[in-house]
Amino acid sequence: MFEKILIANRGEIACRVIKTARKMGIKTVAVYSDADRNALHVEMADEAIHIGPPPANQSYIVIDKIMKAIEESGAEAVHPGYGFLSENKLFAEALDKAGVVFIGPPAGAIESMGDKITSKKIAQEAGVSTVPGYMGLIEDADEAVKISREIGYPVMIKASAGGGGKGMRIAWTDEEAREGFQSSKNEAANSFGDDRIFIEKFVTQPRHIEIQVLADKHGNCIYLGERECSIQRRNQKVIEEAPSPFLDAATRKAMGEQAVALAKAVGYASAGTVEFIVDGEKNFYFLEMNTRLQVEHPVTELITGIDLVEQMIKVAAGEKLKITQADVKLHGWAMESRLYAEDPYRNFLPSIGRLTRYRPPAESAHETAVVRNDTGVFEGGEISMYYDPMIAKLCTWGPTRDQAIEEMRTALDAFEVEGIGHNLPFLAAVMEHPKFCAGDMTTAFIAEEYPEGFDGVKLQSEELRKVAAAAAAMFRVAEIRRTRISDRMDNHERTVGSDWVLVADGTRFDVRIDADHEGSTVHFDEGDHHRVTSNWTPGQPLAHLKIDGEPLVLKVGKAPHGFRIRHRGADFKVAVYTPRQAELAALMPEKLPPDTSKLLLCPMPGLIVKIDVEEGQEVQEGQALCTVEAMKMENILRAERKGTVAKINAGPGDSLAVDEVIMEFE
């Protein structure tokens, strides 16, 4: 077994590999850029080596710099994680030439499966059904339009060397094919250093289901069940689960056997994933093979009990698999929610900045529930504009799918993140969505269920009443504390009454609170009541309560006359008044937001790539105005309505903050 391995990656996956290596008694070497000098993976590793400036194409994907770090550290093997150089055959070949073991598949398998065009041809030869498409390379936008017409819209434009949703566009028209081709080509060049593009038919209403395979260097190969990855946004997975609520045993077996056959056809050795799209009749089609560890590998680990990183290291060291196909049993259900530095209220645009508060729920493992959080950040750390915006992967396990979902709901409620925009509210909303709960989803789930984007959640009336009762009880506790201020003036005693008026998310509740040493009973005007117990103290940002004996977790912030409450994806204010204060509050004028209808504001911190219009030009609704790049993704900003450009305040190459004015309209 190896004594020391280098991890050619950063963030969450580097930390994940370090944990298993430490468990196996293997020393680890981290590499880091200027932006990651104080990163968690650098702190966790036994040693760390600096490899260059923040941009990945000047540090993490420069093979010579990684090779120099390997030589300097004396590492015997390298784990590439995912992304960066994980599917780069030149890197695998360089390691082999230097006598360093690559903890991954042979370079030949990377080359044949990493290229989507070649992999589809091999899959066809191996008898695996594939999606119709044009397997050749496309030279320019005109050819892309011509091929798209021949295949028939909609089509998927893809980077041949792509992955992680980068370099992918769906086109429904000639114009979208032309724009999508150029954007995909640019993203592919920036992310992978390879701008080759191909086009295939976009299968509508598909599910994205993938098979985990594990192979050794002795010809043994098994599959470890499937993962349902249909909850996607912009081709980037958001929520994954294992197993799939859609597959039956026969389809699972057929997909698994095809995945194994494909892996054997290319001499695969290591952990890998064969991705399929599956239609409503359970027909499945080969999509691609990822010759690396997947981001979502924890859900497979949770239902099989197999540490995939450990198996990868053992296979790389030449060991035979000790697990046979018959040994693979799927136990219970696992969920993974990807926590991204993306603002769901701004159409999920990237958000960068400092994590002023980062408190994930406590990890735990019991017979009936598991909570796991794979992360590469820490409180006080900075989310950089140079890398993928994923902050953490929150995973839960339960004996059934419903229990795994309920564990995830509670864990999301208890996850505290402040300082940046993040998608926790959206993740919580999906966990409550009836279609998701029923397992009835496709890759179009987010587009169909949130066609206008995500603008928050409204709690059901019964849940809102419970939150209102909790807020009333908490406010009473805070009021009592305020009456105990020392050095008060004589004859200025404050008393806390029992009658209160609550306005929760715009809904009024008139309540009476009966309190004792155990807790509070909150009576509503309608005659019903809720019993609230808690050890919450004023100032705590997270409240663990019980309402009528059932647990309730609330994120609690300060707000005038009450609290800002976040729960199950909802984010609203609860104002608590005395009856007289409520009368006066009803007379207060409402403050209106400023009018920005004639301004194009930068929706995220980013770089202006291109300005498509000129001052004085008339623009039409939907017309492209400019392109902003952030976190390796290009975003085209379009006109919301017809108008004339009055002034342009920024140009290509300018870096802008959120809400900076790009251009003004008459």
Side-chain angles (χ1 to χ4, degrees):
M1 185 49 66
F2 310 116
E3 291 186 6
K4 182 189 288 188
I5 65 173
L6 181 141
I7 301 154
N9 217 298
R10 64 175 298 281
E12 170 270 322
I13 189 57
C15 297
R16 164 71 187 90
V17 175
I18 290 169
K19 287 179 182 177
T20 287
R22 186 181 291 163
K23 183 180 70 174
M24 298 174 71
I26 301 171
K27 291 184 178 179
T28 55
V29 182
V31 293
Y32 64 92
S33 69
D34 291 338
D36 283 336
R37 191 173 298 276
N38 299 313
L40 186 60
H41 75 283
V42 174
E43 181 184 331
M44 288 179 64
D46 295 293
E47 54 187 286
I49 297 174
H50 176 253
I51 55 170
N57 59 10
Q58 297 177 43
S59 52
Y60 290 106
I61 63 173
V62 180
I63 294 175
D64 288 346
K65 290 187 175 183
I66 301 296
M67 297 304 297
K68 185 178 178 182
I70 294 166
E71 184 180 354
E72 183 180 331
S73 65
E76 306 154 79
V78 173
H79 197 300
Y82 51 74
F84 293 150
L85 295 172
S86 62
E87 295 177 285
N88 188 310
K89 68 135 183 167
L90 297 177
F91 181 51
E93 288 172 347
L95 290 173
D96 186 54
K97 187 176 179 181
V100 178
V101 178
F102 180 64
I103 303 175
I110 294 173
E111 182 177 19
S112 54
M113 289 291 99
D115 186 295
K116 292 180 173 61
I117 295 171
T118 304
S119 68
K120 276 183 166 47
K121 292 177 179 177
I122 293 174
Q124 287 173 341
E125 291 170 4
V128 181
S129 58
T130 58
V131 180
Y134 181 78
M135 293 295 102
L137 296 173
I138 293 99
E139 294 299 325
D140 54 35
D142 289 335
E143 189 181 1
V145 170
K146 180 184 174 185
I147 291 167
S148 298
R149 287 176 178 173
E150 291 171 355
I151 295 172
Y153 290 109
V155 297
M156 177 75 83
I157 301 169
K158 283 187 177 182
S160 183
K166 304 294 188 300
M168 289 172 113
R169 291 291 190 279
I170 298 171
W172 297 77
T173 64
D174 289 353
E175 184 181 350
E176 289 181 1
R178 194 177 300 278
E179 281 185 0
F181 174 81
Q182 196 56 54
S183 288
S184 292
K185 200 173 181 69
N186 293 345
E187 283 182 10
N190 291 336
S191 297
F192 314 110
D194 183 343
D195 67 353
R196 293 175 300 153
I197 298 296
F198 74 103
I199 298 176
E200 66 184 12
K201 178 71 175 176
F202 176 64
V203 180
T204 56
Q205 299 299 305
R207 283 179 179 257
H208 185 138
I209 300 175
E210 59 191 30
I211 301 291
Q212 176 72 57
V213 296
L214 183 61
D216 62 22
K217 297 178 180 179
H218 306 277
N220 302 304
C221 185
I222 59 175
Y223 63 93
L224 306 178
E226 81 281 0
R227 295 184 288 259
E228 172 80 59
C229 307
S230 296
I231 306 294
Q232 302 180 6
R233 189 191 52 72
R234 295 176 187 154
N235 304 307
Q236 180 72 60
K237 298 163 190 171
V238 178
I239 292 171
E240 302 100 345
E241 61 182 292
S244 166
F246 186 62
L247 293 193
D248 53 40
T251 308
R252 176 179 298 117
K253 184 172 184 289
M255 292 175 70
E257 289 174 350
Q258 279 201 22
V260 167
L262 182 61
K264 287 185 174 181
V266 293
Y268 200 83
S270 192
T273 297
V274 182
E275 299 192 348
F276 295 92
I277 55 173
V278 185
D279 67 19
E281 302 301 316
K282 294 188 174 68
N283 298 308
F284 55 89
Y285 305 93
F286 171 72
L287 194 59
E288 63 181 337
M289 183 175 189
N290 289 311
T291 56
R292 54 171 168 80
L293 190 67
Q294 287 283 83
V295 176
E296 58 272 17
H297 74 274
V299 291
T300 296
E301 294 181 330
L302 287 171
I303 65 166
T304 62
I306 297 169
D307 184 328
L308 288 170
V309 174
E310 179 181 358
Q311 294 300 319
M312 291 179 77
I313 294 172
K314 288 181 175 179
V315 166
E319 294 186 17
K320 286 185 178 181
L321 287 181
K322 295 180 180 178
I323 310 159
T324 66
Q325 194 63 59
D327 296 328
V328 179
K329 307 293 182 187
L330 308 184
H331 300 287
W333 219 282
M335 293 279 161
E336 176 178 293
S337 293
R338 297 193 190 187
L339 175 56
Y340 283 114
E342 297 175 334
D343 191 339
Y345 303 106
R346 290 176 175 266
N347 198 26
F348 299 93
L349 291 172
S351 176
I352 60 175
R354 192 166 300 282
L355 286 166
T356 56
R357 189 171 183 83
Y358 178 76
R359 306 285 173 89
E363 294 187 291
S364 60
H366 308 289
E367 288 185 5
T368 57
V370 174
V371 176
R372 167 177 166 175
N373 187 56
D374 286 16
T375 188
V377 303
F378 57 91
E379 187 168 293
E382 192 163 347
I383 303 301
S384 169
M385 66 178 287
Y386 296 102
Y387 311 115
D388 189 88
M390 191 169 69
I391 299 171
K393 301 181 313 198
L394 180 63
C395 306
T396 59
W397 176 92
T400 66
R401 187 171 187 268
D402 287 346
Q403 288 171 289
I405 289 174
E406 187 56 37
E407 288 297 325
M408 180 61 75
R409 289 169 178 160
T410 303
L412 289 169
D413 282 342
F415 209 135
E416 299 178 76
V417 180
E418 303 291 348
I420 59 166
H422 55 78
N423 67 332
L424 273 175
F426 179 72
L427 295 171
V430 173
M431 287 295 150
E432 297 284 337
H433 198 288
K435 273 195 170 183
F436 176 78
C437 294
D440 177 22
M441 65 271 194
T442 71
T443 54
F445 174 87
I446 292 177
E448 290 175 351
E449 300 305 317
Y450 302 93
E452 303 301 320
F454 179 76
D455 58 2
V457 171
K458 286 280 187 182
L459 294 182
Q460 297 293 322
S461 58
E462 182 56 35
E463 189 73 10
L464 187 63
R465 289 175 80 85
K466 290 180 181 179
V467 172
M474 290 190 296
F475 191 81
R476 179 186 174 279
V477 170
E479 278 290 275
I480 289 173
R481 169 176 280 195
R482 285 188 278 268
T483 67
R484 294 173 179 168
I485 296 173
S486 59
D487 296 327
R488 292 170 298 185
M489 294 176 64
D490 292 340
N491 302 317
H492 282 77
E493 291 289 333
R494 286 187 60 192
T495 58
V496 178
S498 57
D499 293 323
W500 299 92
V501 176
L502 283 81
V503 180
D505 200 15
T507 302
R508 174 172 170 148
F509 299 98
D510 293 88
V511 303
R512 188 185 81 255
I513 303 176
D514 292 335
D516 53 47
H517 292 298
E518 305 295 325
S520 299
T521 302
V522 181
H523 299 269
F524 290 81
D525 260 9
E526 293 82 355
D528 58 335
H529 64 273
H530 289 296
R531 179 67 175 172
V532 183
T533 56
S534 171
N535 61 358
W536 178 83
T537 57
Q540 286 182 335
L542 195 66
H544 290 271
L545 310 103
K546 285 196 173 179
I547 307 292
D548 302 325
E550 294 295 319
L552 180 73
V553 180
L554 303 176
K555 294 187 187 78
V556 184
K558 291 180 180 179
H561 276 283
F563 310 104
R564 176 193 178 191
I565 298 290
R566 284 172 286 179
H567 174 67
R568 297 290 157 102
D571 186 342
F572 56 93
K573 290 184 177 138
V574 179
V576 188
Y577 303 111
T578 65
R580 177 56 179 158
Q581 287 171 338
E583 289 178 23
L584 298 174
L587 302 174
M588 295 295 289
E590 183 180 353
K591 185 177 180 181
L592 298 176
D595 180 14
T596 60
S597 60
K598 293 186 177 181
L599 304 175
L600 176 66
L601 304 179
C602 191
M604 62 195 162
L607 183 75
I608 300 292
V609 176
K610 184 172 64 166
I611 297 290
D612 294 292
V613 295
E614 299 175 349
E615 290 183 359
Q617 180 178 338
E618 185 177 283
V619 297
Q620 304 299 318
E621 181 180 350
Q623 182 175 339
L625 300 174
C626 68
T627 302
V628 181
E629 181 187 314
M631 291 184 173
K632 301 184 290 185
M633 296 290 282
E634 286 194 354
N635 302 273
I636 299 174
L637 306 186
R638 301 180 183 277
E640 293 183 354
R641 64 184 65 85
K642 183 178 178 180
T644 301
V645 180
K647 185 180 179 184
I648 298 176
N649 299 323
D654 290 347
S655 293
L656 302 183
V658 173
D659 287 341
E660 276 200 64
V661 179
I662 300 174
M663 60 184 73
E664 303 171 25
F665 300 91
E666 292 179 0

